[in-house]
Amino acid sequence: MTLTADTPPTADRPASPYADLTPPLTAVQALAEANRCLFCYDAACVRACPTGIDIPAFIRSIATGNLKGAARTILSENIMGGTCGRVCPTETLCEQACVRNTAEERPVAIGRLQRHATDRLLATAAAHPFARADSTGKRVAVVGAGPAGLSCAHRLAMMGHAVTVFEAKPKAGGLNEYGLAPYKMADDFAQREVAFILGIGGITVEHGRRLGADLSLEELCAGHDAVFLGVGLGGNNRLNIPGEERAGVEDATAFIERVRQATPEAPPAVGRRVVVIGGGNTAVDAAIQAKRLGAEEVTLAYRRGRAQMGATAWEQELAQTNGVTLRTFAAPVAIGDEGVTFERTRLEEGRLVGTGETLTIAADQVLKAVGQMLARKSLAGLEIAGGKIAVDAEYRTALAGVFAGGDCVATGEDLTVQSVQDGKLAALAIHRHLSA
């Protein structure tokens, strides 16, 4: 199995594999869409939003031409409203709850309107829309410059605390920078959003600082009044099958990171026949991005059925409309010269069983997207429950003064919007802790 060095162009390959999947709304389109909103009282869309954005209020602001006010309404609850307007699974959150689904079978395009307002503010604002409170003299360490860490840092800075963010990678942003396929997060938006967040002041970011390597919880606690852990899920699950270590086999997260950090002028090569193993959003992202990079055949294989896939029905359809073949009830058993061998499976009373029948899908590149796990080695002293850091209702861990949020804790689905909410609520809890 050899990765093709020069991928030939295909008829359905987009002009640029880094092109935005969903173009931004024009001013006229945004106005027309905003006027579809019924501005419901006690709106169901607000209850469906993990960050509790007042959706009718920001849409009304757009309808009346007040884009700055709309953006402020969004960002006051979700400082990463720009990213979430691009990547949130709105089809299962706010837009699914929209009452327009009943009458017209088409919700208000809440996500695209959110992006419209926040993009305008980030592009035109001369000053940060939120001011810092007077200094409290308190110092907080935030580990991880992903959505949870940056959200927490921004809210803490707003309340007057001095924040130092420790980040292992060369750029801040976490999954927004390294883990989202370029077709969802085009151009340099992730870094522009980071710059906007840091623009409030009072936040210092130290890169190349990894917990467990040159950083310990003990020294962080000794040098700061509180610590927030937004470390995400740093490890990838293994398939544990023969051939997993072969050339051309890699984690889908590593593949997406390589694509994100390359330039549109020199994208990484992909195989002619790519097999993606997994059923979540990362699997879909990797499959679509491989197809957009020029792979002739891309197959996404999952061991259960479509109803059990982590990817939403919308994401599954998106994969298919982008030329990805979905193969379900296929569990990988080996990777060899001819490709990936799967055993056909079925559900018996809800339990997955193998049928003994096998099939082989030809591949010269295999991407594994079978979930991530918490990297525990650097978390000594913390209680781990269900593979995640255990926290109480105030985001407190088992260590005094140490809080945690985002994908590394079990507060909800592993989504950017949930991580932003965790960071925000943890910052408020930290502020109460420091004010006691």
Side-chain angles (χ1 to χ4, degrees):
M1 184 171 62
T2 305
L3 182 62
T4 305
D6 296 308
T7 304
T10 59
D12 58 350
R13 182 177 179 178
S16 169
Y18 289 77
D20 204 336
L21 174 71
T22 306
L25 295 171
T26 66
V28 173
Q29 289 172 330
L31 184 62
E33 192 63 26
N35 279 302
R36 292 185 61 238
C37 182
L38 298 177
F39 311 116
C40 304
Y41 175 76
D42 190 25
C45 58
V46 177
R47 296 195 301 273
C49 174
T51 55
I53 294 171
D54 190 340
I55 294 168
F58 94 70
I59 294 179
R60 186 182 292 277
S61 292
I62 293 175
T64 57
N66 183 10
L67 289 183
K68 183 177 179 180
R72 186 179 176 85
T73 297
I74 295 162
L75 297 170
S76 64
E77 296 297 340
N78 182 344
I79 198 60
M80 288 189 165
T83 287
C84 291
R86 288 164 165 77
V87 305
C88 249
T90 54
E91 68 275 8
T92 63
L93 297 172
C94 55
E95 291 180 17
Q96 184 182 60
C98 179
V99 298
R100 280 292 187 188
N101 286 307
T102 302
E104 301 176 8
E105 298 183 352
R106 182 171 73 88
V108 174
I110 298 169
R112 296 184 74 188
L113 287 171
Q114 179 168 309
R115 174 180 174 178
H116 180 73
T118 53
D119 280 10
R120 175 66 179 274
L121 185 138
L122 264 65
T124 61
H128 200 285
F130 304 106
R132 291 193 70 206
D134 293 338
S135 174
T136 63
K138 302 292 186 179
R139 301 173 64 240
V140 181
V142 171
V143 182
L150 290 175
S151 172
C152 183
H154 184 271
R155 187 66 57 153
L156 287 168
M158 277 183 64
M159 294 183 289
H161 306 299
V163 184
T164 301
V165 181
F166 298 92
E167 169 56 41
K169 291 185 177 291
K171 297 179 183 178
L175 288 179
N176 293 358
E177 172 60 39
Y178 294 99
L180 295 174
Y183 72 85
K184 286 184 175 177
M185 198 73 158
D187 304 319
D188 63 342
F189 181 78
Q191 289 308 300
R192 286 191 285 121
E193 188 175 57
V194 168
F196 164 73
I197 290 170
L198 299 181
I200 193 170
I203 306 171
T204 301
V205 182
E206 295 188 11
H207 294 281
R209 304 296 302 277
R210 184 182 297 276
L211 192 64
D214 57 357
L215 202 62
S216 70
L217 277 176
E218 184 179 15
E219 67 176 293
L220 288 175
C221 290
H224 299 84
D225 298 293
V227 176
F228 175 78
L229 302 176
V231 294
L233 299 173
N236 289 282
N237 293 329
R238 292 179 54 80
L239 294 171
N240 294 317
I241 61 174
E244 188 171 2
E245 305 300 331
R246 293 174 66 98
V249 181
E250 70 175 319
D251 291 315
T253 53
F255 168 72
I256 292 172
E257 180 172 334
R258 285 198 299 113
V259 177
R260 279 298 303 266
Q261 298 311 304
T263 63
E265 296 75 27
V270 293
R272 291 179 57 199
R273 297 169 298 185
V274 178
V275 171
V276 181
I277 301 172
N281 288 341
T282 299
V284 170
D285 276 6
I288 293 176
Q289 198 63 59
K291 187 67 177 175
R292 288 167 70 93
L293 283 164
E296 293 179 10
E297 300 174 13
V298 179
T299 302
L300 190 156
Y302 179 56
R303 62 190 179 127
R304 298 179 183 270
R306 290 185 60 164
Q308 290 79 42
M309 289 178 69
T312 65
W314 185 87
E315 291 273 357
Q316 294 175 38
E317 182 178 351
L318 180 66
Q320 290 180 301
T321 56
N322 277 268
V324 176
T325 300
L326 297 186
R327 295 295 295 266
T328 54
F329 292 107
V333 294
I335 302 173
D337 291 336
E338 303 304 315
V340 187
T341 299
F342 295 87
E343 180 181 15
R344 294 188 185 277
T345 61
R346 65 171 179 263
L347 290 174
E348 291 184 357
E349 298 181 351
R351 187 169 61 91
L352 188 71
V353 297
T355 66
E357 181 184 357
T358 62
L359 73 153
T360 298
I361 301 176
D364 48 24
Q365 184 175 16
V366 178
L367 303 175
K368 304 178 295 178
V370 290
Q372 293 179 279
M373 60 182 178
L374 187 69
R376 301 187 183 194
K377 290 183 179 180
S378 59
L379 302 175
L382 297 178
E383 180 185 350
I384 307 297
K388 297 200 173 189
I389 299 172
V391 294
D392 64 13
E394 287 283 287
Y395 292 87
R396 293 176 295 208
T397 71
L399 291 177
V402 178
F403 300 72
D407 290 353
C408 64
V409 305
T411 51
E413 294 186 68
D414 292 344
L415 299 171
T416 298
V417 66
Q418 184 63 54
S419 292
V420 172
Q421 179 72 349
D422 284 355
K424 178 180 73 178
L425 295 181
L428 296 174
I430 292 169
H431 181 68
R432 289 191 290 270
H433 167 75
L434 296 178
S435 303

